[in-house]
Amino acid sequence: MAVKRAKKTSRPSSAKKKAASKAPANVTKLSTARKKLASKGPAPAAKKKAAASKAPATVAAKQQPVVSVVEHALDEMKAVNVKVLAVTKLTDITDTMIIASGNSDRHVRSIADRVVEHAKKAGFRPMGVEGERDGEWVLVDMGDVIVHIMLPKVREFYRLESLWDVSAARREAAEQSA
C-alpha cells in the first residue's frame, strides 16, 4: 500500500499568517508603551539618584512625621521619661533613637503595640519588633527611627542615653575627670 503525501504549497499556513501579522502589532504596542513611559519622566532609578543628591534635606523631612507619630503614641499611652536622640552623625544604622520607659512589663508591651498601630495607620511599616514576649525591653524598628521601650531598671542598667547622646557622654567624661 502506497502512502500519498500532501503537496507542499508556497503559501504559509493560517497559524503562520497570524504570527506574522501579530509581530508588527507587538512592536508597535511596545514602542507606544515606551513613549508613554518617556513622557511620564525619568525612570525610577534616575529619580532615586536625583533624590540621593537631595538626601540631607529630605532625610530630616521624612523622619519628622515618623517621630511625631511615635511621640503621639508614647504620649497617648503615658510612657515615662521619653528621650529623642538624633544619632545621624554617630551611626548609619538609624537616624533617630527614641527611648521611653513603661511602669510594668504589660505597660511596656502595650506601649510598643500602640506605637506599631499608630505607625501602620500613618502609613509607616515597622521593619520588626523584638522583645514583646518578655516585655522588659521592646525594640520597634521603623528604619530611620528605632524606638526602645524599657522597664526603668533595664533602662538604668543599659544606659542607652549615655551611649548614644554625645553631649551626655561628654558631661560624664568631664565629671569623671574632675
Side-chain angles (χ1 to χ4, degrees):
M1 210 166 163
V3 178
K4 291 186 177 179
R5 293 186 183 179
K7 291 182 179 180
K8 291 186 179 180
T9 60
S10 61
R11 291 184 287 162
S13 67
S14 61
K16 289 182 181 177
K17 283 182 184 177
K18 288 180 184 176
S21 66
K22 284 185 180 178
N26 287 344
V27 171
T28 308
K29 287 180 185 176
L30 184 61
S31 64
T32 56
R34 285 185 179 155
K35 287 178 186 175
K36 285 180 184 177
L37 285 174
S39 67
K40 288 183 181 178
K47 287 181 183 177
K48 285 182 182 177
K49 287 180 183 177
S53 65
K54 300 176 187 175
T58 57
V59 167
K62 188 171 94 174
Q63 286 176 334
Q64 290 300 54
V66 179
V67 172
S68 63
V69 165
V70 170
E71 284 180 329
H72 177 69
L74 293 172
D75 186 46
E76 186 177 294
M77 290 301 294
K78 298 187 178 13
V80 182
N81 198 10
V82 178
K83 287 222 172 182
V84 179
L85 304 173
V87 294
T88 307
K89 295 179 182 177
L90 302 175
T91 183
D92 17 338
I93 60 169
T94 189
D95 295 330
T96 305
M97 283 197 190
I98 301 176
I99 303 169
S101 295
N103 298 325
S104 66
D105 59 345
R106 183 176 288 193
H107 189 216
V108 168
R109 284 193 297 263
S110 64
I111 291 170
D113 289 341
R114 189 61 57 97
V115 167
V116 170
E117 180 184 321
H118 277 273
K120 285 182 179 178
K121 282 182 184 177
F124 304 106
R125 293 304 244 182
M127 295 175 72
V129 179
E130 295 291 327
E132 276 186 312
R133 191 176 67 179
D134 294 332
E136 290 183 354
W137 179 357
V138 180
L139 182 139
V140 181
D141 187 357
M142 306 286 292
D144 291 337
V145 177
I146 294 180
V147 185
H148 299 274
I149 306 148
M150 312 167 142
L151 287 175
K153 64 179 183 179
V154 175
R155 186 171 178 173
E156 185 180 323
F157 180 77
Y158 287 104
R159 298 178 0 177
L160 291 181
E161 294 94 336
S162 63
L163 179 67
W164 290 107
D165 189 12
V166 176
S167 60
R170 286 183 184 158
R171 274 186 262 134
E172 279 186 26
E175 289 174 5
Q176 288 177 357
S177 66

